[in-house]
Amino acid sequence: MKEKLKAIVDEALSQINASEQLEKLNEIKVAFLGKKGELTSVLKSMKDVAPEDRPMVGQMVNEAREKLESCLEEKKAAFMKKLREEQIKKETIDVTLPATKPMVGHRHPNTIALEEVERIFIGMGYEVVEGPEVEYDYYNFEALNIPANHPAKDEQDTFYVSSDAHSNIVLRTQTSSIQVHEMEKGKLPIRMIAPGRAFRSDEVDATHSPSFHQIEGLVIDKNITFADLKGTLEVFAKEIFGEDTKVKFRPHHFPFTEPSAEMDVSCFKCGGSGCRFCKGEGWIEILGCGMVHPHVLEMSGIDPEEYTGFAFGVGLERIALLKYEIDDMRLLYENDTRFLKQF
Ligand code: 2NL
């Protein structure tokens, strides 16, 4: 019996020593100390041992079990230590390696152009005001002297959100609605620009998109004249297109201004002599403007006998396309980073 026990212990110890994995130790534990293990089967055969020898055999089995258990524990601890050391070695950070730089985006050409326009007008004492993209028909059309059935209200151009007997709700077709809200507040004088997204049901092409951006401007005070309009917009043109830029005002018609005009700037590529960029014209059309129609002032509660004002509207995309010499508006919306990172 003694020899049998010794043989079992020796075999177990040699297997423990030879094991190279943690899982192997578990297998050994089950094979020798488990319910059907070799040492356990010795205990089970106790009934064959003479009663007077049983305490001694029992003690020997217990000693063998303790020895195996402590050897398994020791080996397990050694394994864990080795594993931890390997992990620490693997996870060591080499602080001398160069860092990977995070990708930093930058402003969209529309945003760059908008911020430049804002900077120019803030410099002249204007406030930047924003407003809702969804508007009542009244603020988008009626208050701007565009009553029902007016051709400028052509339903084909307008996205209607809802339309019933009490209210028509539209996606704003210009940002003038922001200025109507401001006029209604009754705080005068007003010196503001109103940038934002506007919507018209246009087909997409190189110069049109159903969603685009506009910047409108409005000044209302006592004694504002067309000379103020011309001076202000000339300063704006020189700041944004260069000191040598000349401006030209052509008569035009808008329902909300009287008189109305369109402003051209001398071509900043050829200086006005005519080139491919200005299609040989020497001039580039840039914005619409005029003196605020007395009826528009009246509808928003401003006395046209006491106050006058001028207003203008400019397409943000048009400014961005001209400024960066981009020939297709669709490039502004595709968000291809290879295109965007050039600006
Ligand atoms: C254009 C023309 C224009 C205005 C917008 C305006 C706003 C109010 C009152 C009167 Cl609240 N006028 N805005 C005036 C003239 C022209 O825009 O071609 N924009 C791209």
Side-chain angles (χ1 to χ4, degrees):
M1 183 60 89
K2 206 173 170 181
E3 274 84 63
K4 195 179 171 194
L5 268 177
K6 190 173 179 323
I8 292 173
V9 170
D10 284 349
E11 174 58 23
L13 287 182
S14 85
Q15 283 193 26
I16 291 170
N17 277 330
S19 64
E20 278 165 1
Q21 279 170 321
L22 208 52
E23 297 86 69
K24 184 76 187 157
L25 286 184
N26 269 332
E27 281 169 26
I28 297 169
K29 191 172 180 179
V30 172
F32 288 90
L33 304 174
K35 260 187 190 158
K36 292 175 183 162
E38 294 202 33
L39 213 56
T40 319
S41 70
V42 174
L43 266 183
K44 279 180 187 158
S45 63
M46 205 64 133
K47 56 184 182 305
D48 305 330
V49 176
E52 64 271 24
D53 292 338
R54 282 181 195 167
M56 199 235 332
V57 175
Q59 197 187 341
M60 272 165 33
V61 174
N62 277 340
E63 277 169 10
R65 165 178 285 276
E66 274 162 25
K67 178 144 179 86
L68 288 191
E69 274 174 351
S70 76
C71 280
L72 280 166
E73 270 317 305
E74 239 171 66
K75 187 79 179 172
K76 190 176 165 188
F79 271 142
M80 296 302 275
K81 190 166 174 237
K82 206 170 127 209
L83 269 176
R84 224 182 359 259
E85 276 166 5
E86 275 170 14
Q87 196 172 6
I88 287 169
K89 215 165 160 184
K90 216 165 55 198
E91 290 177 0
T92 303
I93 296 165
D94 182 352
V95 291
T96 65
L97 282 175
T100 45
K101 284 188 185 152
M103 201 181 83
V104 180
H106 70 103
R107 293 175 304 159
H108 188 278
N110 269 354
T111 310
I112 303 174
L114 172 60
E115 288 181 357
E116 175 147 24
V117 175
E118 287 180 345
R119 181 187 60 78
I120 294 167
F121 282 100
I122 288 169
M124 294 195 278
Y126 287 58
E127 234 184 303
V128 180
V129 186
E130 293 186 15
E133 292 175 3
V134 182
E135 267 294 358
Y136 286 114
D137 180 277
Y138 175 81
Y139 289 95
N140 195 76
F141 293 120
E142 208 119 327
L144 290 155
N145 220 13
I146 309 172
N149 306 322
H150 192 286
K153 211 182 142 177
D154 193 337
E155 308 220 352
Q156 280 182 4
D157 284 353
T158 309
F159 288 114
Y160 280 82
V161 173
S162 78
S163 181
D164 60 44
H166 310 290
S167 67
N168 287 335
I169 297 174
V170 301
L171 297 187
R172 68 183 178 202
T173 60
Q174 345 107 353
T175 55
S176 332
S177 47
I178 304 174
Q179 294 164 312
V180 175
H181 286 292
E182 215 54 27
M183 289 193 290
E184 276 190 350
K185 286 182 189 165
K187 264 182 33 202
L188 295 168
I190 292 173
R191 242 175 220 85
M192 65 178 286
I193 57 169
R197 198 181 275 278
F199 307 86
R200 290 182 198 175
S201 70
D202 281 327
E203 290 291 333
V204 174
D205 66 25
T207 54
H208 292 87
S209 162
S211 157
F212 58 101
H213 297 79
Q214 243 208 341
I215 308 167
E216 289 217 3
L218 178 70
V219 173
I220 297 176
D221 204 345
K222 290 175 177 162
N223 304 316
I224 296 290
T225 70
F226 203 89
D228 296 308
L229 176 157
K230 286 177 79 175
T232 303
L233 294 179
E234 184 174 359
V235 168
F236 166 64
K238 283 181 186 293
E239 288 249 4
I240 202 146
F241 295 115
E243 192 49 39
D244 298 329
T245 307
K246 288 189 267 304
V247 295
K248 180 170 87 171
F249 291 86
R250 284 178 290 100
H252 198 75
H253 170 265
F254 296 112
F256 25 84
T257 44
E258 181 59 35
S260 307
E262 278 188 331
M263 183 177 88
D264 296 346
V265 293
S266 55
C267 178
F268 46 84
K269 274 252 132 181
C270 64
S273 57
C275 67
R276 213 173 51 87
F277 199 70
C278 57
K279 298 186 182 73
E281 296 279 335
W283 295 94
I284 297 169
E285 182 193 319
I286 210 79
L287 55 77
C289 56
M291 300 305 291
V292 180
H293 197 295
H295 190 219
V296 169
L297 292 175
E298 224 162 44
M299 279 187 285
S300 288
I302 297 170
D303 182 0
E305 296 297 331
E306 197 182 350
Y307 285 95
T308 51
F310 69 81
F312 58 90
V314 50
L316 177 61
E317 280 81 0
R318 179 147 179 80
I319 301 276
L321 296 185
L322 283 172
K323 214 172 150 51
Y324 299 112
E325 298 180 29
I326 303 165
D327 57 12
D328 194 324
M329 192 164 155
R330 286 167 286 199
L331 291 165
L332 291 177
Y333 304 124
E334 279 165 3
N335 285 336
D336 185 331
T337 52
R338 291 168 304 177
F339 167 78
L340 292 174
K341 72 180 174 197
Q342 300 175 81
F343 306 99

